[in-house]
Amino acid sequence: SQTIHQWPATLVQPVGSPLSLECTVEGTSNPNLYWYRQAAGRGLQLLFYSVGIGQISSEVPQNLSASRPQDRQFILSSKKLLLSDSGFYLCAWSVRRRPGRGSYEQYFGPGTRLTVT
Amino acid sequence: AQKITQTQPGMFVQEKEAVTLDCTYDTSDPSYGLFWYKQPSSGEMIFLIYQGSYDQQNATEGRYSLNFQKARKSANLVISASQLGDSAMYFCAMREGNAGKSTFGDGTTLTVKP
């Protein structure tokens, strides 16, 4: 069965410090990978998605970046955190399960709660 | 324009009763998927149910069913026989395109009263 890991679970970082959040998926190959951010009491905002190694698409311009160094590894980074980067970060994966339909079920990791102080 | 609209910020339901959570969507893509997720206070996102745009019948998963009205662009979630453990935030999401990018609504907080 497939599992998705995220770490750390919680993180408190000062403004201006760097960030690295890691996500790994087990039990599947060639997944699509996604990073979302959720502000308190709000829905999820798609930040980045990747359909393959080294292929990253950014949805929202900001001071965050993403990388996919391996097939099942997705990393979210920042060189200098802002207060507005605080939130709940969720990694998700999906694979096409209905050929030709263009719709995917997404499965989420446990999330990282980031507080920038 | 908002692609996914959930008009009910909060809903209350009595235990064992049914409840409908509303969701309307907007897309010009003929191929898309509609999803509902549950997010308890722990923060995890739990997949509940899926409806494809080409599916003829409404999706059902146990106590969850999706009332899909394509012409009205609505995909309401119906939870039958509510349980206390159903208290959570519920998100409607739409997936479009080959990369499966998702758009989420702002969610509905459901509270089940004993």
Side-chain angles (χ1 to χ4, degrees), chain A residues 69-83:
Chain A
Q70 299 179 42
D71 180 46
R72 289 170 288 178
Q73 184 184 30
F74 206 21
I75 298 171
L76 183 69
S77 305
S78 174
K79 292 181 179 178
K80 288 186 178 182
L81 284 168
L82 306 172
L83 285 175

Side-chain angles (χ1 to χ4, degrees), chain B residues 1 10 12 17 23 27-28 30 60 66 70 77 80 83 89:
Chain B
F12 290 89
E17 291 185 351
C23 173
T27 181
S28 56
T60 59
L66 201 152
K70 196 170 182 177
L77 176 70
S80 62
Q83 302 172 356
M89 191 93 157

